[in-house]
Amino acid sequence: MTTVTVIVPAHNEEEGLPATLESLLRQTAPAEEIIVVDDGSSDRTGDVAKSYDVTVLRPERNLGSKARAQNHALPYCQTDLVLAVDADTVLAPDYVERLKPAFDDPNVVIAAGNVQTRFTRTIWERGRSIEYLFGFHFHRPIQAGAASPMVCSGCCSAFRREALVAFGGFPERTIVEDMDVTWSWQIGGHKAIYVSDAVAWAADPETLTYLRKQVWRWMAGFFQNVRLHLRPMARRKPMLALWVVLAVLEILLAPVWWTTPLILTFVWRLPVTETLAWWFGTELLLFTPPLVYAARRRHLSVLRVLANVPFAYPTRAVNTYYAWKGLLVELVLVPLGLAKTLTVYEKGRAS
């Protein structure tokens, strides 16, 4: 029988942690142990964790990143699998049960499920909900079908423990350890698996401040991994390299697409109503069918999902800004010695 230890890194997470731990304790395939790493919290995170009768580890000082907190707990894990769960992520009751069969293949070293938003209260949460519905029901299945997922989400990924230990633990050399390990293992000939029926709900940015910090970390980390992995990836895992190149091209072309209505109106002198109708019509044609499919798969109201589509545009604007910033800093300025790579892990929500 496959055994599992859950690691929950937590820094000032007293509010979100109870729902996370309750979801872990309700699993139809219970974990052998749940370890909460109280990473230098100044609130009641440790006390909350202890009230759920789980193992609580508290380093002598704040370790500074999720990967370091997870590595602090790794020597305490003795099970077949290690499941890393963020302290504000809630798992479906059958999440572990659905993930375990992926590891029946001995070449599979990492697997993760389908991540959706827990809340849709603010502009930013609603925008992120559209991104997740589209990404996890369109992009991710295509990548999985080609046996080359871009990333196994760090908020809910399971790892084969022996492989993780042999790798040196959760990688600390980039600011996004989930993408680093997903790419590294696939380049090395191992398998990463996306399990679409295993569902997790993440607490996503409810404010612009939080969104900016999170997206900057994600985009800087993405380009850190591009700098680190793209050349060996092109030789050893070309299909994964294709997804990465397409993602970079999408980032490069995004400003062109966003300014197309202005170009058509002020340069080609086309009527503004015509250009806007063409632009929004193309957007709807591209995004509506996957979103309708995703809503039905998740048993959500199609009308409510489509009503959130306008909120995706402010979120996409933030994504585009920080994607370009990440590209310029991590692929241009850092190699030239004109800037320092991002190393400070700021989640955003905690003060």
Side-chain angles (χ1 to χ4, degrees), residues 7-335:
I7 298 176
V8 183
H11 175 73
N12 290 349
E13 293 285 1
E14 67 172 308
E15 291 185 11
L17 187 58
T20 299
L21 293 179
E22 286 165 13
S23 76
L24 291 171
L25 293 169
R26 287 197 303 263
Q27 289 298 305
T28 54
E32 276 61 35
E33 186 175 16
I34 299 171
I35 301 175
V36 174
V37 183
D38 179 14
D39 189 16
S41 299
S42 58
D43 65 1
R44 297 183 58 257
T45 293
D47 294 333
V48 169
K50 289 174 184 176
S51 71
Y52 284 88
D53 197 27
V54 300
T55 303
V56 180
L57 304 177
R58 184 176 174 91
E60 293 182 0
R61 56 179 177 80
N62 178 258
L63 298 174
S65 77
K66 185 169 73 171
R68 294 190 187 99
Q70 291 170 155
N71 283 331
H72 182 79
L74 188 57
Y76 297 86
C77 303
Q78 301 301 321
T79 49
D80 303 310
L81 305 179
V82 173
L83 174 61
V85 179
D86 281 1
D88 55 9
T89 295
V90 171
L91 306 185
D94 60 352
Y95 188 87
V96 174
E97 181 181 355
R98 289 186 178 276
L99 221 58
K100 278 185 175 182
F103 293 91
D104 291 342
D105 181 346
N107 202 33
V108 172
V109 290
I110 182 172
N114 184 315
V115 182
Q116 297 302 307
T117 52
R118 282 178 64 188
F119 308 111
T120 52
R121 302 162 299 192
T122 68
I123 291 174
W124 314 108
E125 290 170 332
R126 292 183 181 193
R128 178 59 61 76
S129 74
I130 294 300
E131 289 182 352
Y132 279 3
L133 284 168
F134 186 87
F136 281 93
H137 296 89
F138 183 71
H139 288 142
R140 201 62 61 89
I142 293 173
Q143 295 165 6
S148 53
M150 276 271 283
V151 65
C152 288
S153 302
C155 66
C156 56
S157 284
F159 304 80
R160 196 178 295 278
R161 184 184 63 84
E162 289 184 355
L164 185 59
V165 171
F167 186 68
F170 297 89
E172 301 175 9
R173 58 192 172 183
T174 72
I175 203 71
V176 285
E177 80 294 333
D178 51 358
M179 181 168 286
D180 192 345
V181 74
T182 303
W183 290 11
S184 295
W185 272 337
Q186 290 185 88
I187 292 169
H190 298 292
K191 290 182 181 178
I193 298 294
Y194 167 61
V195 183
S196 62
D197 290 332
V199 183
W201 292 273
D204 284 294
E206 67 270 23
T207 66
L208 179 57
T209 297
Y210 177 22
L211 180 74
R212 289 172 56 224
K213 290 180 179 181
Q214 185 192 65
V215 172
W216 170 228
R217 186 178 76 247
W218 285 1
M219 294 303 177
F222 170 73
F223 284 107
Q224 287 172 0
N225 279 288
V226 169
R227 192 175 71 236
L228 182 67
H229 294 298
L230 188 57
R231 288 184 181 177
M233 185 189 298
R235 295 194 304 269
R236 301 172 192 169
K237 191 69 175 178
M239 185 57 70
L240 181 58
L242 174 63
W243 304 138
V244 174
V245 170
L246 289 175
V248 174
L249 286 175
E250 183 179 358
I251 290 167
L252 291 172
L253 294 175
V256 176
W257 175 247
W258 281 75
T259 56
T260 295
L262 295 175
I263 295 170
L264 293 177
T265 300
F266 294 106
V267 177
W268 288 9
R269 303 295 182 181
L270 295 179
V272 64
T273 53
E274 182 179 325
T275 60
L276 290 176
W278 172 84
W279 193 88
F280 281 111
T282 303
E283 286 274 297
L284 289 174
L285 183 64
L286 291 172
F287 292 107
T288 301
L291 288 175
V292 171
Y293 168 75
R296 295 193 179 279
R297 278 293 307 273
R298 300 273 69 84
H299 306 291
L300 301 172
S301 165
V302 172
L303 291 179
R304 287 187 179 181
V305 168
L306 295 180
N308 284 331
V309 169
F311 300 107
Y313 289 94
T315 306
R316 287 170 62 189
V318 174
N319 292 346
T320 299
Y321 172 81
Y322 283 104
W324 267 85
K325 181 179 177 181
L327 187 154
L328 290 172
V329 170
E330 297 291 347
L331 290 191
V332 180
L333 299 181
V334 169

